[in-house]
Amino acid sequence: MATFLYRLGRFAFRRRHFVALFWVALLALAGAGAAGAPAAGNSSFSIPGTEAQKAFDLLEERFPGSSADGATARVVFKAPDGQKMTDAGNKATVQDTVDALAGGSEVARVTDPYQGGGVSEDGGIAYASVTYEVSGMELEETSREALETAAQDARDAGLTVEIGGDALQAVPETGTAEIIGIGIAAIVLVITLGSLLAAGLPLLTAIVGVGIGVASITALASTLDLGSTTSILASMIGLAVGIDYALFVVSRYRAELAEGREREEAAGRAVGTAGSAVVFAGLTVVIALVGLSVVNIPMLTKMGIAAAATVAIAVLIALTLIPALLGYAGRRVRPAGEKSKLLGGGRGGEQKAQRPNMGTRWASFVVRRPLAVLLLGVVGLGAAAIPAASLELGLPDDGSQPTSTTQRRGYDLLSEGFGPGFNGPLVVVVDAKDSADPQAVFEQAGEEIKGLDNIVDVAPAQPNKAGDTATITVIPDAKPSSVTTEDLVHDIRDAGAGIKADTDAEVLVTGATAMNIDVSQKLNDALVPYLVLVVGLAFLLLIVVFRSILVPLKAALGFLLSVLAALGAVVAVYQWGWLSGLMGVEETGPIMSMMPIFMVGVVFGLAMDYEVFLVTRIREAYVHGEKPRQAVVTGFRYSARVVTAAAVIMMAVFAGFIGSSDSMVRMIGFGLAVAVLFDAFVVRMAIVPAVLALLGTKAWWLPKWLDRALPNVDVEGESLSAHGDPKDEDKELVRV
């Protein structure tokens, strides 16, 4: 592989016009597709194989025209102090609002508060429910504007009016914090590479890669039902790995220049060595992201595949566009150790070159005291992981929105007027098609549900036209994300099992709350198989890369430590409320149910990035004859600075998404930033060298039979030391 990538690097350097034109054309093509595509909305959400989804599908079949998957809105009215919503003037205002809403072109139905029991007991709050014929993703902007206009007219008449539901759910915005993250990345690149031009190359190529990826996602969003969150997560991961992969190649190029090689040769060797590490690091990230499909939640699968495609583009750009741009830059990209005059180059450069760098000094310290460093790192991460033991999972609702939003204020008004459970009603679907007396079954189901605890109200059964299926709305006495409500869902399902045994009727529970409970359970059940699949495949891949058993095992165990510690930090902030003000967390609660499995996938891929980049340098020194402990020091001398810079860049990019308007994106950004902090600076920079120092030559042990069976991928670039005439190889690549 090193030989092929070496040829590819030289080819891209020499044929830079062709390579640059190819990527610019691809970016333009993707941009044109995105410009002509409909805007991405919120992806449809389904959970195949769950009871909530089965009930939802049954509703669509047995209640045609009910718009079960249509967008919904709750327009909540509050009377001024000293008045009630039943007063004649307020009642007239609400009636005008209902009439205005009912005239919408996409509105399926609107419930009148005074006819459908939508007024609170004290008369201070009322609500009207609006159901649309299309999903929130398909809802036209004119319908949203009409909803807001109707609410504003009621406000002008003196009422407090707020709107909940998914009809007004906006496309998430990341805010200025993302730009700050990129700015920090730029500063780190300048410090690391010592040149404004060299620092600009990773940023430029990462933006090109993310541009192609996100534009392609936008172009396909409507066709493939990709939500707006998909492109945000793809840009988050693509930007982070794109900068890092390009940084590793540029850094190796400068190191090759420092050894006296010509620029084209240096580009070839940089791609042949660092590029090999980029390929395998990218493969681990792609495996982890594509592996999310085993959970069998379509939205999560699409997010994983879209992000994996963006990572693959980042790898290809690092291997081709970077050497091409290095060809354009020429002598303006300086050898390692040199800085441009603008950044202080030429002042004391020789003295600095003679001193051991920070990576050398740190590695020397670790190999002298490996056991103490190992114990300190493990105990520290273990302590950070303690909050993860109390992890509670759920999906965000309007109650997790900032208090500045109308959705959150509507949520709070409904809780005030009707109780917290009113924001998460349970829909019980009774399928009595195979029963002798469906009406009796409906009554029996209603009575048994009324006898359960933690219920405020059970509405009478509403049968369909055929009379074989009915819905029963149940209002819990606790908020949707509470453990009490989850227990109630299980109690209703247990009661339904008894009804089925007596009457052959099936009782199913659905609704947003039940969906959230089911998806949390499904994700919990999938976590272990996902870990086995992803870690197993990556373990095999790392055995091929490092030709060792213990090094990949150490990498996997270190990853588990860092991801558990990161989950602990997420629980401490978003569930316990530590530093919640600093992080902009206005409402603590359960952790998003997708968070653990998504973090496992992404963090594992990124952790293996640092493992590959760091340990390949150590192995390179070892296979060239250095003793194990000296090889650790040598590896850190060449790679610690770059890996540290890459980690800081990735943390800055992820942290930039903490400013997003979407609670899911905020939580993921924080979790990934903390995970990179723990993995890069504690696991890879401390625990890894300590373990390698303790293991010595045993770290690189591999059974002879396995050594013969494994392919030689030559990540260290050993084959390049005896390479032939580069001109002949370029001709061969052109022929290929």
Side-chain angles (χ1 to χ4, degrees):
M1 173 175 286
T3 303
F4 171 77
L5 293 178
Y6 166 81
R7 296 171 180 169
L8 180 63
R10 288 180 61 92
F11 174 81
F13 186 95
R14 182 173 294 178
R15 304 290 188 268
R16 62 187 74 104
H17 301 312
F18 169 76
V19 173
L21 182 62
F22 170 80
W23 285 110
V24 169
L26 196 59
L27 178 61
L29 184 63
N42 297 295
S43 177
S44 59
F45 190 76
S46 63
I47 325 167
T50 62
E51 179 175 317
Q53 186 65 46
K54 182 179 179 181
F56 184 83
D57 295 340
L58 188 65
L59 281 175
E60 288 192 318
E61 176 189 339
R62 303 285 175 84
F63 290 81
S66 64
S67 302
D69 62 343
T72 59
R74 275 181 171 177
V75 183
V76 190
F77 307 89
K78 184 177 182 179
D81 292 340
Q83 298 183 24
K84 292 188 177 183
M85 291 305 305
T86 51
D87 293 348
N90 294 335
K91 195 171 182 179
T93 300
V94 172
Q95 189 60 56
D96 291 342
T97 305
V98 169
D99 292 342
L101 291 171
S105 60
E106 295 180 307
V107 173
R109 60 186 175 277
V110 181
T111 60
D112 188 320
Y114 304 101
Q115 296 178 6
V119 182
S120 63
E121 288 186 9
D122 63 3
I125 296 173
Y127 76 93
S129 293
V130 185
T131 303
Y132 292 88
E133 296 174 346
V134 295
S135 66
M137 181 178 178
E138 301 167 319
L139 197 64
E140 293 182 0
E141 192 60 34
T142 53
S143 295
R144 293 190 175 93
E145 291 174 357
L147 179 61
E148 292 175 322
T149 300
Q152 187 58 49
D153 290 343
R155 292 188 190 105
D156 294 340
L159 298 178
T160 298
V161 185
E162 305 295 347
I163 306 171
D166 62 351
L168 287 186
Q169 198 164 15
V171 175
E173 298 176 356
T174 55
T176 57
E178 182 185 356
I179 300 173
I180 295 173
I182 295 175
I184 294 172
I187 294 170
V188 173
L189 285 169
V190 170
I191 294 172
T192 304
L193 299 176
S195 164
L196 292 174
L197 179 62
L201 295 182
L203 280 175
L204 175 61
T205 55
I207 291 171
V208 170
V210 169
I212 293 172
V214 172
S216 300
I217 291 170
T218 304
L220 298 172
S222 180
T223 305
L224 301 181
D225 190 22
L226 302 176
S228 54
T229 306
T230 303
S231 61
I232 291 179
L233 295 176
S235 66
M236 179 194 300
I237 297 168
L239 191 62
V241 300
I243 294 174
D244 280 5
Y245 293 167
L247 170 61
F248 286 118
V249 174
V250 173
S251 298
R252 187 59 184 251
Y253 171 77
R254 296 178 70 235
E256 296 293 338
L257 289 180
E259 293 182 8
R261 291 191 171 87
E262 293 295 326
R263 294 187 177 273
E264 186 177 329
E265 176 70 10
R269 287 181 175 271
V271 175
T273 51
S276 296
V278 166
V279 169
F280 282 99
L283 270 176
T284 58
V285 180
V286 169
I287 288 171
L289 291 171
V290 173
L292 290 170
S293 58
V294 303
V295 183
N296 195 27
I297 294 179
M299 185 180 77
L300 192 60
T301 299
K302 292 170 185 175
M303 286 166 54
I305 292 175
T310 308
V311 171
I313 292 170
V315 170
L316 293 174
I317 282 179
L319 299 178
T320 57
L321 186 56
I322 281 291
L325 294 180
L326 288 172
Y328 284 118
R331 297 185 180 278
R332 285 169 290 182
V333 174
R334 298 169 180 268
E338 293 186 19
K339 292 183 179 180
S340 65
K341 292 181 180 180
L342 182 64
L343 299 172
R347 295 196 291 269
E350 292 184 6
Q351 271 188 335
K352 291 180 181 178
Q354 291 172 359
R355 293 203 310 260
N357 63 17
M358 181 64 76
T360 302
R361 295 197 296 273
W362 170 250
S364 299
F365 169 79
V366 173
V367 298
R368 286 198 305 269
R369 298 173 179 82
L371 189 58
V373 172
L374 176 62
L375 290 176
L376 185 62
V378 171
V379 170
L381 290 178
I386 289 174
S390 62
L391 175 69
E392 296 177 8
L393 298 177
L395 285 178
D397 55 19
D398 285 347
S400 62
Q401 297 266 19
T403 52
S404 59
T405 62
T406 185
Q407 292 96 327
R408 171 62 185 276
R409 292 195 295 266
Y411 180 98
D412 292 341
L413 282 178
L414 287 173
S415 296
E416 177 187 338
F418 301 91
F422 199 79
N423 284 292
L426 305 176
V427 179
V428 179
V429 182
V430 184
D431 180 7
K433 192 173 184 179
D434 297 329
S435 301
D437 188 353
Q439 186 59 41
V441 173
F442 301 154
E443 293 175 1
Q444 178 185 348
E447 290 301 319
E448 292 204 21
I449 292 171
K450 285 180 182 178
L452 299 176
D453 296 331
N454 305 314
I455 290 177
V456 171
D457 184 48
V458 178
Q462 300 292 322
N464 62 349
K465 289 183 179 179
D468 57 5
T469 308
T471 60
I472 301 173
T473 302
V474 179
I475 306 299
D477 67 358
K479 64 181 182 179
S481 59
S482 68
V483 176
T484 303
T485 302
E486 182 177 350
D487 291 339
L488 174 59
V489 170
H490 293 310
D491 290 343
I492 295 174
R493 287 173 174 171
D494 290 341
I499 294 173
K500 182 175 177 62
D502 295 339
T503 66
D504 290 329
E506 195 166 16
V507 178
L508 306 170
V509 185
T510 189
T513 302
M515 281 277 193
N516 291 351
I517 293 169
D518 284 355
V519 75
S520 297
Q521 186 60 51
K522 191 175 181 71
L523 288 163
N524 280 339
D525 294 342
L527 185 57
V528 172
Y530 175 70
L531 268 174
V532 171
L533 172 69
V534 172
V535 176
L537 287 175
F539 181 77
L540 295 175
L541 186 65
L542 292 178
I543 289 177
V544 174
V545 174
F546 296 128
R547 308 194 76 78
S548 164
I549 298 292
L550 296 180
V551 171
L553 181 61
K554 164 197 61 62
L557 293 177
F559 149 74
L560 290 175
L561 270 176
S562 59
V563 79
L564 285 174
L567 276 175
V570 170
V571 171
V573 173
Y574 287 89
Q575 187 174 309
W576 291 0
W578 293 6
L579 301 176
S580 57
L582 182 63
M583 293 296 146
V585 180
E586 296 185 12
E587 182 76 20
T588 59
I591 302 305
M592 183 186 66
S593 54
M594 291 185 186
M595 191 70 185
I597 201 162
F598 192 82
M599 275 189 65
V600 164
V602 176
V603 175
F604 182 78
L606 301 180
M608 294 308 102
D609 275 5
Y610 299 123
E611 181 76 13
V612 169
F613 290 125
L614 188 63
V615 180
T616 47
R617 265 295 196 173
I618 296 173
R619 176 169 170 77
E620 185 175 340
Y622 177 75
V623 299
H624 282 87
E626 293 189 11
K627 292 183 178 180
R629 293 198 174 197
Q630 182 57 43
V632 171
V633 176
T634 300
F636 268 68
R637 180 168 72 245
Y638 289 115
S639 59
R641 178 184 176 91
V642 179
V643 170
T644 300
V648 172
I649 289 168
M650 198 169 282
M651 287 168 55
V653 171
F654 288 148
F657 287 84
I658 297 175
S660 171
S661 62
D662 187 275
S663 59
M664 181 173 75
V665 175
R666 285 200 306 270
M667 191 181 294
I668 289 176
F670 172 79
L672 293 182
V674 171
V676 170
L677 172 67
F678 289 151
D679 194 84
F681 292 101
V682 181
V683 175
R684 309 303 152 190
M685 287 293 173
I687 293 177
V688 165
V691 171
L692 290 177
L694 288 170
L695 290 175
T697 56
K698 295 187 183 73
W700 309 108
W701 172 79
L702 187 69
K704 291 183 178 179
W705 63 268
L706 185 56
D707 186 41
R708 291 191 298 269
L710 291 177
N712 183 14
V713 295
D714 188 24
V715 176
E716 301 84 15
E718 181 70 18
S719 60
L720 299 183
S721 60
H723 217 269
D725 183 6
K727 294 181 181 179
D728 295 338
E729 287 148 1
D730 281 342
K731 292 176 183 177
E732 182 181 343
L733 180 62
V734 172
R735 287 198 299 271
V736 172

